[in-house]
Each structure stands twice: as structure tokens, then as C-alpha cells.
Amino acid sequence: MSDDAQPNPLPEKTEIHADTPKLSSSWCPSSSSVPPAAPATPSDPPEKTINGENNSSKSYKIISTPQDTSLVPTLAVTLWLGWNGILVALSLYFLFFASGRERLIILGVCTASLVLPAEFPWRWGERVGDWMMLGAEKYFGLTTIIENEENLLSHANAINPNCQTQTTKKALIFAFEPHDILPYAVFSFSPALKRLPGKIGRDGCCLITSAVFGVPFLRQVYRWVKTYPVDRGTFLGKLRRGESFAFVPGGVQEVIHLESADSNVCNDETSNEKASENTNDDTDETNANSRQKNNEKPLTLYLLKRKGFVKHALATGSPIVPVFAFHLDGSYGYYIPRSKIVHRISRAVGVVPLVFWGRFGIPFGIPYPKRIVVVIGEAIDVESEGSGDDDDDDGGVSEERVDRVHKVFLRELEALFERHKVEAGYGGRKLRIV
């Protein structure tokens, strides 16, 4: 098993509040190099440099963990994201190889998982979930950038007059993009990682497709890591209780719009090994052309028709925070059948029929060890237009207002991407919103 752990003795987690060489334009988070860490100076933080220009009004909070793809972090990610492959293998064994007794055992265990609560075994499950999240933090060398922490806290500490009590504070909706094959980078909002401040961090969770919670074993594993179904009741319930959360507005429909996988995969581990073995000019030129081609591909986001979350935000007066994850794309190789039937199936069941593969080439396995950078923008103010009546989900919200706030969100998300794309190695890429 390959080990991508960095040799230099960096601290396990580095936190800074300002401009450092860590995110200079010469460093791409997906490469095998480790950015030099600079000590934080809380009393007089240096200023943030954006695209070569000093911007004294910006002071970003950056938390970065050195990448470690050794055995223990790989096991943690496998226990979290490897269940897709495990269940496919189990199904094939059940259909073609299992004896009658083995089939009864498999059916019994799967039935027990579906009957037992998703939280089972409660405290022990939560501990395992926290361990998986801490392992994933190392495996992906997670970096989070919060552009304005004070802005998030000020919105989260405001009293929401439409919530259940007059002391309930506002919930923040972290609208995370892109979805890609699996939007696993939302794990950066896990309370186990303590990346977000105050109550926002303690509430940390993610809302995902409800289809996951109808699959044995997956329903328990995903609940252990603080995920819940993204249905209307859960969404509005959390907003009214003042509980912040992340979700992916593009949803599984965004997978349909992914480009073909011929040059979409970026396996840092494999590419580094090949680079050390092939040093001739032809190989270097081919690799350079491939990188140039990938750097010009647009990133497609399925958001033009995704306005339901904006309506919920207006009904409850909940701020919307744009979030973008760099290097999530290319985490898997994949094949997606292109047809109207596939599109209809994905809309009906909340899952896109496809084949994907990741590290070690294992079908439905864990992702390649990409170095993920999650950038969190400033909150978008959303004035409440709802009645505050629990029986009236979105009462009083005008479509005109929904369209206006939705356009602001799209503009702010694109601006967030543009501000950080050069430093993240996406200099030639654009967002394509459909």
C-alpha cells in the first residue's frame, strides 16, 4: 500500500488567520508538495493577498491538516465511503455464490440493519463516526478557508423572530458545491473536526439524499457522521430550531451533467509514481498537455432550477452561505449511461445509475487521495417573508423575491470560486451553471 504522508514534521493541524505562503499561487493543493506553514500572529495578523493584490479588508481563517494516506486513515475512509463497494460485492455473492444458509444470514443481517434505528449503537456509533472523520481529515489533507468568521458568527447569533421561541438564534444554510460523483467533502462540517466556530460548529451536520437511509448499513454509517435526509420536514425543522447545516443544492442531478471520464481522473498517487518512472520528453509533453486540457474544462453546476432552499430560507429568515470545494472533481473515474431513462430514474429514486472506481482501481471503492480545499464565503442576508406558522411551510414568500435572492446566491458562489481558483490550481477554469 502506498503512503503519501508528508515527510516534513508539520503539526497535525495548522491554524492561521491571515496571508501566508500556504496558499500562494505557486502551490496547488492536489500536488504532493506540502505548503510551508507560517506561525500565526493573533495580535497583528498579516494581510491576505488575493491574485497578487493586497486586500487589507480580508483576513481569512485557514486550517490545514498535512496529508496522510497510510493504513489507519485509509481504513477510516474505507469504513466510511467503502460501503458502496462492499454492498455491491455482497449482492453479487448473494446472487451467484452463497449457499442457502448464507443467504439467510445475509438477509437477516440486512433486515436487522433496516429495522434498527439509524443511530444504533448510539454513543459507540458516534465515536466510530468521529474516528472516521478525523481519519478522513488526514487522508484528504483537508484545508478549510473561512473568509469572514466574524460575519458568520454575527448572523448565527442573531435572534430569529420566526423560530419556535424568542431566544432561538438563526440557522445558517451552507450551500455546498460541487456534488460530483460523491460530495464527500461536506465532512469538513463535522463537529468532530472543530473547523467552524461556536454553535455553528457544534450543530455541524449535512443533509443528503434520502435514498441513503433506505440502504442497510449505509443508514447507520452516515448517521454516525452526522448526516440526515434532505427532505422538507428535516430542512425546515432545523431552520426553525436554529440548527445550521450544509447541503448540496445541485443534488444528484448534477452527476448527469458531468463530463466524460476520459481525462477527468486525477490520481496524485499514481501520477507521481509514473512521473518518477518516465522522464523522457514525450511523456513530459503529454502530461503537460493533459494538465492543460483539464485546466480548461468548465465545472458544471446544476443550480438554475434549484430554488427550493431559497424559498425555505426566506420563509425562516435564514442566511445562505456559499461554499465551494476544490479538487473534489477527479476523485473517481466513472461511466454514466447517457439516456432519458437514466435521467428519469435518477430523479425518481435520488440516485444516478453509474459505475465508478477510485483508489487501487476498486469499483465503487474509496476516492483517490485528493487534497481537498473547502472555501466558505460570507453569509448572504435573507430577510424573513414567512408567517412563522409551522403549518405553513413557505407561506407569504413571493416568487419574485425567491428569484432575486437566488440570483444573488449564484453570483456570490461564482465570485467565491473566482477569488480562490488561481491559488487552488484552477486558473483556466470557469463555472458553467445550468
Side-chain angles (χ1 to χ4, degrees):
M1 180 178 296
S2 175
D3 186 346
D4 287 352
Q6 305 301 332
N8 48 327
L10 288 177
E12 186 166 337
K13 186 182 293 186
T14 303
E15 179 176 334
I16 55 180
H17 289 261
D19 180 33
T20 73
K22 179 175 290 296
L23 291 177
S24 66
S25 58
S26 62
W27 172 62
C28 173
S30 64
S31 68
S32 59
S33 61
V34 174
T41 54
S43 59
D44 186 20
E47 296 168 347
K48 174 70 181 174
T49 300
I50 303 176
N51 294 337
E53 297 182 3
N54 190 284
N55 187 340
S56 59
S57 65
K58 297 290 184 181
S59 179
Y60 297 169
K61 178 180 179 181
I62 305 171
I63 304 176
S64 185
T65 298
Q67 191 173 31
D68 178 6
T69 58
S70 59
L71 178 62
V72 174
T74 299
L75 287 176
V77 173
T78 301
L79 184 58
W80 172 35
L81 298 174
W83 278 99
N84 296 296
I86 294 172
L87 288 174
V88 169
L90 187 63
S91 299
L92 292 175
Y93 182 80
F94 177 88
L95 291 173
F96 300 108
F97 303 104
S99 63
R101 182 179 180 182
E102 289 172 333
R103 288 180 179 177
L104 286 175
I105 294 174
I106 294 172
L107 282 175
V109 173
C110 290
T111 302
S113 175
L114 292 172
V115 172
L116 288 169
E119 296 81 4
F120 179 84
W122 297 283
R123 182 181 301 177
W124 288 103
E126 291 179 359
R127 290 181 179 178
V128 173
D130 290 349
W131 175 77
M132 290 189 291
M133 294 296 91
L134 292 170
E137 181 183 47
K138 296 177 181 178
Y139 181 86
F140 295 109
L142 178 64
T143 293
T144 53
I145 304 173
I146 302 177
E147 287 196 335
N148 192 336
E149 189 177 61
E150 292 183 2
N151 169 268
L152 299 182
L153 286 172
S154 65
H155 282 84
N157 289 331
I159 300 299
N160 193 335
N162 281 346
C163 286
Q164 294 173 348
T165 69
Q166 293 301 312
T167 59
T168 300
K169 296 182 179 180
K170 287 188 176 182
L172 273 60
I173 303 173
F174 291 93
F176 180 102
E177 287 291 332
H179 185 286
D180 207 71
I181 297 297
L182 290 177
Y184 62 82
V186 291
F187 85 93
S188 56
F189 289 87
S190 169
L193 305 186
K194 300 178 181 179
R195 298 262 171 160
L196 292 169
K199 187 176 184 296
I200 307 173
R202 293 192 299 272
D203 287 345
C205 70
C206 178
L207 305 188
I208 63 174
T209 175
S210 304
V212 169
F213 297 95
V215 180
F217 309 117
L218 279 182
R219 62 195 304 268
Q220 273 84 23
V221 170
Y222 276 82
R223 183 56 57 84
W224 297 345
V225 297
K226 307 297 190 300
T227 59
Y228 302 87
V230 65
D231 55 60
R232 174 176 295 219
T234 303
F235 202 106
L236 284 170
K238 283 190 169 293
L239 293 182
R240 290 183 175 126
R241 292 191 299 270
E243 299 173 1
S244 301
F245 58 87
F247 90 114
V248 185
V252 296
Q253 290 302 305
E254 208 162 274
V255 180
I256 297 291
H257 296 275
L258 289 175
E259 299 288 340
S260 60
D262 52 0
S263 59
N264 192 49
V265 179
C266 177
N267 183 351
D268 301 331
E269 180 182 351
T270 303
S271 61
N272 290 337
E273 291 174 356
K274 288 183 178 179
S276 64
E277 296 173 359
N278 302 290
T279 57
N280 58 71
D281 294 338
D282 291 339
T283 301
D284 292 342
E285 184 177 354
T286 300
N287 291 338
N289 291 336
S290 178
R291 287 193 297 269
Q292 178 66 22
K293 183 179 179 181
N294 286 335
N295 198 39
E296 295 174 352
K297 276 189 173 183
L299 283 166
T300 303
L301 308 181
Y302 185 75
L303 293 173
L304 287 182
K305 297 181 180 180
R306 299 298 198 185
K307 300 179 181 181
F309 73 99
V310 176
K311 199 169 187 179
H312 294 334
L314 284 164
T316 58
S318 303
I320 301 172
V321 183
V323 181
F324 195 89
F326 290 97
H327 304 288
L328 183 62
D329 59 311
S331 296
Y332 288 101
Y334 56 85
Y335 170 73
I336 304 173
R338 308 287 178 176
S339 69
K340 292 183 178 180
I341 295 177
V342 171
H343 185 73
R344 290 174 181 173
I345 292 174
S346 65
R347 288 184 64 87
V349 302
V351 176
V352 177
L354 79 163
V355 177
F356 63 88
W357 55 93
R359 194 180 183 189
F360 312 120
I362 298 175
F364 306 101
I366 64 175
Y368 296 116
K370 304 295 294 288
R371 300 188 67 180
I372 299 298
V373 178
V374 176
V375 184
I376 303 172
E378 295 188 5
I380 300 170
D381 287 314
V382 177
E383 295 183 6
S384 175
E385 290 191 0
S387 62
D389 186 357
D390 288 354
D391 296 328
D392 189 4
D393 287 344
D394 298 312
V397 178
S398 66
E399 293 299 327
E400 180 182 357
R401 179 64 174 161
V402 170
D403 290 340
R404 190 180 308 136
V405 174
H406 184 255
K407 288 178 181 178
V408 172
F409 165 71
L410 295 182
R411 184 176 69 241
E412 291 300 317
L413 179 65
E414 190 166 6
L416 181 70
F417 173 80
E418 291 292 330
R419 283 196 296 274
H420 296 271
K421 70 176 186 178
V422 173
E423 292 169 325
Y426 282 53
R429 305 189 73 174
K430 295 286 186 181
L431 294 184
R432 183 169 71 96
I433 299 176
V434 297

